[in-house]
Amino acid sequence: MLRRDFIRTSAALAAAAALPGCGQIGMGDYSGDLTMDWRPYTGQLKYSFTIATYSRTFTPLVLVRLRWRDFVGYGEASMPQYLGESTDSVTAFLGRVSSEVLPRFKDPFLMDDILSEVDALAERNTAAKAAVDIALHDLVGKILARPWWQIWGYDATKTPCTSYTIGYDESDDVVNEKIEEASWTKVVKVKLGMGEEKDKRMINLIRAKLDTVICVDANQGWKSKEEALDMIYWLSERNVSFIEQPMAKEKIDDAAWITERSPLPVIADEACQRMTDIPRLAGAYDGINIKLMKCTGMREAHKMADMASGLGMEVMLGCMTETSVAVSAAAQLSPAAKWADLDGNILLSNDCFSGMRLTDGKITLNSLPGIGVEPVKPFEEL
Ligand code: MG
């Protein structure tokens, strides 16, 4: 290293070390107790959220704080009802992590071992696992005094624009209000799968006011492969970029039939939960939608992005309705994604963290260590 580079690096590390909860430690000196606490939190939605299968006005969340020496990492579980998790199931799982896994580890850098043991505690509980995973990544990034996009070797300028979701509503006035609110975005995401007439009404209402790119999520709502392909052709003439989960997740042969004939890329969402799902989806879909709450967190999400690109599949990053904690954690991986749907925090009226921001719709990563978030007030008061 040239002397001037060394001085610059040392100055950067010293500056990072001056940040609260962040700094450098001596080589080989990694022993300390890992302790975790958590707080249930209700994410209030600005609008009721309606997709092909249900409607809701809030999302239960659990915020997690993981501590090691003077370092603090934040994590989050988001529990939309279709995931099958609740505040009770998440807090029970976190209790087990706290009593059965964390006491056996003194070194937070043993991430693979720690998170493998957390994963082995139960078959499902993916959102609860994600909360621990995100908090551990945040903690380790802060010890290293580096953000995860940099640890992973990504260029923070190569982030996609996020789409912003316009949910279905029976009222034209409400849809028009949502369209008005989406006028800043470069990419609109629309939830379809309600039936041909309703689906076309939503697209026509948006196209009457916005000429931005639209991506479509059918949420398994189209009933036959022929119906799906007809809609995809109709959509392809209306500046639509891709189609997410056209039919039921189990219908892989139908997905392959559609993908082979579709003029637009077809992406698996509900069909792709974890890494082990990807090999059988290669060939049936053009890409996968990776979400931290489905796949247990950043560790597996990063592996899934590598596996998908190795199989020639496109990567999309998605989210649930979440605060800036989980959205900023996912955003660390966004330079590896072609498309991003990381609008969960802006769909909330009570986000309680600051983190990743949008600049004209483009994901803008900060240089804070870990996942780059800070609570708006002390954790105990959230
Ligand atoms: Mg989806």
Side-chain angles (χ1 to χ4, degrees):
M1 188 186 286
L2 293 173
R3 182 177 154 74
R4 63 175 178 277
D5 289 337
F6 175 77
I7 291 168
R8 200 180 299 142
T9 304
S10 303
L13 289 175
L19 290 168
C22 156
Q24 299 289 297
I25 56 170
M27 292 290 288
D29 178 20
Y30 303 127
S31 185
D33 290 333
L34 279 163
T35 58
M36 186 170 70
D37 60 346
W38 50 88
R39 296 182 69 78
Y41 192 77
T42 301
Q44 301 289 348
L45 302 177
K46 289 178 186 167
Y47 293 103
S48 73
F49 196 74
T50 303
I51 64 169
T53 45
Y54 66 90
S55 183
R56 60 191 157 85
T57 56
F58 68 93
T59 300
L61 310 170
V62 176
L63 302 169
V64 165
R65 176 172 61 176
L66 183 64
R67 288 190 273 195
W68 179 85
R69 298 192 186 174
D70 293 333
F71 297 90
V72 177
Y74 296 106
E76 175 183 10
S78 171
M79 295 89 73
Q81 67 189 52
Y82 70 89
L83 265 186
E85 285 184 87
S86 63
T87 301
D88 285 349
S89 72
V90 168
T91 53
F93 186 88
L94 295 175
R96 290 188 62 197
V97 172
S98 199
S99 63
E100 297 175 37
V101 178
L102 297 183
R104 296 196 292 106
F105 290 94
K106 299 290 180 195
D107 178 354
F109 284 94
L110 294 175
M111 300 178 78
D112 238 36
D113 288 349
I114 297 169
L115 295 173
S116 294
E117 293 209 9
V118 169
D119 197 12
L121 281 179
E123 192 182 340
R124 299 176 67 84
N125 293 106
T126 55
K129 291 171 184 175
V132 180
D133 167 286
I134 293 167
L136 184 59
H137 277 79
D138 193 32
L139 181 79
V140 167
K142 283 171 175 166
I143 298 168
L144 291 170
R146 288 285 181 274
W148 272 93
W149 58 261
Q150 192 175 42
I151 295 168
W152 281 332
Y154 296 134
D155 179 343
T157 66
K158 293 181 179 171
T159 53
C161 286
T162 185
S163 54
Y164 178 72
T165 300
I166 298 181
Y168 180 82
D169 200 283
E170 294 286 346
S171 154
D172 283 10
D173 287 345
V174 174
V175 175
N176 281 326
E177 197 184 324
K178 291 180 180 187
I179 293 168
E180 201 69 40
E181 189 160 298
S183 58
W184 56 270
T185 188
K186 297 277 195 296
V187 188
V188 165
K189 178 167 167 173
V190 190
K191 301 285 198 175
L192 300 185
M194 308 285 171
E196 183 180 346
E197 194 183 325
K198 291 180 174 180
D199 286 355
K200 288 184 174 175
R201 168 185 160 265
M202 280 297 288
I203 297 295
N204 288 333
L205 282 170
I206 293 166
R207 274 290 164 257
K209 289 190 182 285
L210 292 178
D211 58 3
T212 46
V213 174
I214 296 176
C215 48
V216 164
D217 189 352
N219 281 117
Q220 315 184 77
W222 293 330
K223 301 301 177 223
S224 75
K225 59 182 193 278
E226 292 83 5
E227 176 199 353
L229 192 62
D230 283 350
M231 269 304 294
I232 293 170
Y233 268 98
W234 185 84
L235 292 165
S236 72
E237 292 165 359
R238 285 158 181 82
N239 195 18
V240 169
S241 57
F242 65 85
I243 308 293
E244 210 179 310
Q245 202 62 53
M247 292 182 62
K249 61 183 179 182
E250 300 81 13
K251 296 186 173 175
I252 294 181
D253 289 346
D254 286 350
W257 184 92
I258 294 166
T259 298
E260 195 181 338
R261 292 162 179 80
S262 172
L264 300 174
V266 180
I267 308 300
D269 182 7
E270 287 87 341
C272 184
Q273 306 285 319
R274 298 196 58 174
M275 192 164 63
T276 47
D277 294 321
I278 301 176
R280 68 189 166 85
L281 300 176
Y285 291 88
D286 295 301
I288 57 165
N289 185 351
I290 301 172
K291 294 177 181 169
L292 301 188
M293 296 300 143
K294 291 192 300 185
C295 77
T296 73
M298 296 169 71
R299 170 173 172 262
E300 183 145 334
H302 184 239
K303 292 178 182 179
M304 288 173 77
D306 280 351
M307 181 185 270
S309 50
L311 289 166
M313 301 176 85
E314 302 287 0
V315 170
M316 171 183 179
L317 267 182
C319 64
M320 309 298 175
T321 40
E322 308 165 337
T323 74
S324 284
V325 171
V327 166
S328 301
Q332 304 297 312
L333 190 58
S334 66
K338 182 170 183 177
W339 299 295
D341 181 30
L342 296 180
D343 61 350
N345 56 339
I346 46 179
L347 294 171
L348 290 180
S349 60
N350 62 340
D351 189 5
C352 52
F353 277 78
S354 63
M356 175 274 273
R357 294 184 182 282
L358 300 175
T359 310
D360 291 333
K362 182 178 162 66
I363 292 169
T364 308
L365 294 159
N366 62 43
S367 55
L368 293 173
I371 60 170
V373 299
E374 284 172 349
V376 296
K377 54 185 173 183
F379 188 77
E380 292 81 1
E381 296 170 22
L382 291 174

